[in-house]
Amino acid sequence: MSTTEHPRTGLRVLLDRIEAAAPVDAVAVAEHALATMLGARAVRVLLVEYGGRAIVRFDRSDWEAQKSRQRGIEHVETIELSGTVYERVLGTQVGELSASGTGTQVTVPVTVRGDAIGIIEFSLTGSPDAQLLDDATAMGRALGYVIVACRRYTDLFEWGQRCTPFSLAAEIQRRLLPSALAWQAGRLSLAGWLEPAATVAGDTFDYSLDRHTLHISISDAVGHDVHAALLATVFVSSLRNARRRGATLLEQARTANDALAAHSALGEFVTGQLIRIDLESGAATVINAGHPLPLRLRGGCVDELDLDIDIPFGLYPGREFRLQHFQLEPDDRVLFVTDGVLDRNSDQVAAPEVLRRTAHRPPRDVVRQLGDAVLHAMQGNLADDCTMLCLDWYPACG
């Protein structure tokens, strides 16, 4: 490092300063602390906006930036990601160095367990050594956890990261999503995405990890707007409640089905898939209720998982569902989708081709590229939500 502080001491100082400040000041305090610890100038912390196609920077100074927004004393500058160093660093989650005038520009990701949430960018005089880049990357990981914690106490981050106002239905749906849209550790990596992010209604996905099990759900509530979001709320909340009580997969399905039947009008329903994966063996158990079949990429070939289809959730109380099974093999990739991805756009968006083309990219890139393909095919005017969740299964370690 270009300062005399040991990186472990620097991390402690960073955390202490942020903890002593108000949550709304976390980014500004982090910028000042990082400048001191790294011997840097012009430190900037930027966060990914919720549409995923831009990055934003918070600023309280009195300046007018291109594509900036203001709320009281708060300013947010929006920078498009396409073709930038930010896009590369977020995609690879590896820092980059580049010459900048008399010094070096350093760009490192702010990431939490594979979920890339932002960027730290700063300038140095001269050329940094490898240790400084490693230290800066460690700071990025620490700052990621800090931002995740601070956003619990303020709406500032939510406001700043919303370049497009959310509809009421989208606001409801956002509360149903897992707090991180991507996750990576051990034998698996996964990422989910909803398109469009600001106006979704009935689609949602969820996941949760136990010590030995990964729980996944993906669903599509009938209809649009707020009513569909309310159906999705009943469904997802019922699943979570049953799962957190230790219910089996069949019990979760029965609970959600009966809750929908009790709290919705006749003929209203939710299609969906509930999946449990054994983290040791890769053995998967699935309930498929009227939902599009998942796609699997194995050995360069894409096919649909061979699953029978039960009727959707919520049509009849007391309905029983079938447990089905499939086995994950090392290097498998499975894509779970709603009908907005396959049915409505199947003649224009070749999801299998996107899977093949992105075979060497992480799941977070797969779902984003598929979302971009759907938007492009429909010229930005989606008639239905498009939701996808991509799961990678790796060989056992050791």
Side-chain angles (χ1 to χ4, degrees), residues 113-261:
R113 293 186 178 273
D115 187 19
I117 62 176
I119 291 286
I120 298 174
E121 179 183 61
F122 58 93
S123 300
L124 295 171
T125 302
S127 299
D129 56 21
Q131 183 61 51
L132 186 139
L133 185 60
D134 287 345
D135 293 341
T137 300
M139 298 289 184
R141 291 198 301 271
L143 184 57
Y145 285 103
V146 168
I147 290 171
V148 167
C150 286
R151 68 183 315 122
R152 298 164 56 192
Y153 308 105
T154 175
D155 284 338
L156 179 64
F157 297 99
E158 285 281 343
W159 166 73
Q161 291 179 266
R162 296 182 180 189
C163 294
T164 302
F166 276 33
S167 67
L168 176 57
E171 190 71 52
I172 295 171
Q173 288 294 97
R174 178 160 175 75
R175 300 309 113 194
L176 301 179
L177 295 177
S179 57
L181 301 188
W183 193 89
Q184 180 176 344
R187 294 196 64 182
L188 64 92
S189 178
L190 62 83
W193 189 251
L194 280 77
E195 193 69 66
T199 58
V200 294
D203 283 14
T204 192
F205 66 88
D206 196 18
Y207 70 86
S208 177
L209 282 153
D210 294 338
R211 290 191 185 275
H212 306 293
T213 307
L214 170 65
H215 305 260
I216 294 175
S217 69
I218 186 167
S219 57
D220 183 0
V222 67
H224 298 280
D225 301 323
V226 172
H227 191 70
L230 295 178
L231 284 177
T233 299
V234 172
F235 180 72
V236 174
S237 299
S238 298
L239 286 179
R240 287 175 174 169
N241 181 258
R243 187 183 72 219
R244 290 164 182 169
R245 287 188 282 108
T248 66
L249 198 62
L250 278 176
E251 290 169 340
Q252 292 175 38
R254 294 188 196 113
T255 298
N257 177 78
D258 291 354
L260 282 170

Side-chain angles (χ1 to χ4, degrees), residues 322-341:
R322 289 175 289 179
L323 289 178
Q324 302 182 68
H325 306 276
F326 65 92
Q327 179 66 45
L328 290 171
E329 296 183 0
D331 296 321
D332 272 359
R333 168 168 287 173
V334 181
L335 180 70
F336 303 93
V337 297
T338 59
D339 64 1
V341 177

Side-chain angles (χ1 to χ4, degrees), residues 273-297:
Q273 287 159 355
L274 313 183
I275 304 100
R276 292 184 71 169
I277 298 173
D278 184 287
L279 296 177
E280 295 296 326
S281 66
T285 305
V286 58
I287 291 172
N288 184 31
H291 206 71
L293 296 177
L295 297 174
R296 178 181 58 197
L297 174 66

Side-chain angles (χ1 to χ4, degrees), residues 38-119:
L38 297 170
R41 50 189 169 86
V43 174
R44 304 202 309 171
V45 174
L46 306 101
L47 301 180
V48 180
E49 63 96 18
Y50 287 139
R53 295 175 176 83
I55 198 164
V56 299
R57 189 203 175 206
F58 294 87
D59 196 306
R60 291 176 57 177
S61 61
D62 295 325
W63 55 273
E64 292 295 330
Q66 185 180 13
K67 296 187 178 180
S68 67
R69 289 176 290 124
Q70 181 176 357
R71 187 181 74 170
I73 63 172
E74 311 293 348
H75 293 255
V76 170
E77 176 190 6
T78 303
I79 304 167
E80 298 298 323
L81 278 175
S82 181
T84 66
V85 63
Y86 309 129
E87 183 179 47
R88 292 194 304 273
V89 169
L90 288 170
T92 62
Q93 295 196 2
V94 176
E96 287 194 16
L97 306 177
S98 60
S100 175
T102 59
T104 303
Q105 192 80 2
V106 183
T107 307
V108 296
V110 176
T111 181
V112 178
R113 293 186 178 273
D115 187 19
I117 62 176
I119 291 286

Side-chain angles (χ1 to χ4, degrees), residues 181 191-193 195 335 362-372 388-390:
L181 301 188
W193 189 251
E195 193 69 66
L335 180 70
R364 60 182 177 271
D365 286 354
V366 178
V367 295
R368 286 307 321 282
Q369 289 197 34
L370 187 54
D372 287 345
M388 57 218 83
L389 189 148
C390 183

